[in-house]
Amino acid sequence: MKFKIKIIFLIFTIFSILSPSQTLNTYFIPTRDGILLSTDIYFPFSFSEPLPVIIMRTPYGKENLSEFGFYFSLKNYIVAIQDTRGHGKSQGEPSGFLKEGEDGFDTIKWIEEKDWCNKKIGLLGASALGINNYLLLSTNPPSLKTIISLVATSDLYEYAAYPGGV
């Protein structure tokens, strides 16, 4: 069964990489304190009107999530995959989740001002990416319409900094 899943994933990856229906651009999105966050943005090859945007913010290397960018751009979404502060090709020092709300808000603000964005933005991610999503909620960006966070605690005090409160 694992072998079949690996073969299917391999075929999907090859199809995504070779597909001519998307374009990829890398941007350095500024934060309020001047740090630049490296962001790969996947566009459908051809679109005539602004589209919704899916954002994934990761400390694990944005290149590791490229399949999501290719896949969702095939479904007529624009996808922004970003290295968080101090990780991958982004500037700064890792903040241990302390700057994720502000950095995420600044990213959404930058994206929503682009003429290719229809002001409907969603966040997607698991683990640390999902935690980043939760931390961004407190900033209440107006264009944020949904988040999908998987296997991510919403309580860093109880389950990360002080497991079990100890």
Side-chain angles (χ1 to χ4, degrees):
M1 181 68 164
K2 288 184 180 181
F3 180 72
K4 288 181 183 178
I5 292 172
K6 287 180 181 179
I7 293 296
I8 291 170
F9 182 75
L10 179 63
I11 292 169
F12 172 74
T13 302
I14 291 169
F15 172 74
S16 295
I17 291 170
L18 298 177
S19 175
S21 60
Q22 305 103 8
T23 59
L24 166 65
N25 296 314
T26 300
Y27 298 90
F28 290 88
I29 297 177
T31 62
R32 62 191 73 190
D33 62 354
I35 297 296
L36 299 176
L37 303 177
S38 182
T39 308
D40 289 344
I41 301 185
Y42 299 77
F43 295 94
F45 183 70
S46 177
F47 59 98
S48 58
E49 59 188 31
L51 295 174
V53 178
I54 298 170
I55 300 173
M56 301 176 77
R57 303 186 63 251
T58 181
Y60 306 130
K62 61 184 169 37
E63 292 80 11
N64 295 324
L65 299 172
S66 62
E67 289 85 8
F68 289 98
F70 287 117
Y71 176 77
F72 286 113
S73 67
L74 284 171
K75 303 295 182 188
N76 224 27
Y77 289 93
I78 295 169
V79 182
I81 303 177
Q82 183 177 76
D83 284 329
T84 54
R85 178 183 293 256
H87 295 97
K89 296 178 182 166
S90 288
Q91 294 179 343
E93 295 296 319
S95 70
F97 295 116
L98 295 176
K99 292 283 194 174
E100 297 313 323
E102 289 178 3
D103 288 353
F105 182 90
D106 295 344
T107 297
I108 288 177
K109 184 176 179 190
W110 186 89
I111 288 172
E112 72 185 8
E113 292 173 353
K114 303 303 174 206
D115 60 0
W116 39 259
C117 175
N118 72 358
K119 312 281 187 279
K120 294 180 181 173
I121 295 174
L123 302 174
L124 173 64
S127 187
L129 287 73
I131 293 169
N132 290 341
N133 294 347
Y134 290 140
L135 294 170
L136 175 57
L137 285 176
S138 66
T139 67
N140 199 26
S143 295
L144 182 61
K145 302 303 179 196
T146 190
I147 68 166
I148 299 172
S149 291
L150 308 166
V151 294
T153 183
S154 59
D155 187 345
L156 288 174
Y157 181 84
E158 180 73 21
Y159 297 107
Y162 298 98
V166 177

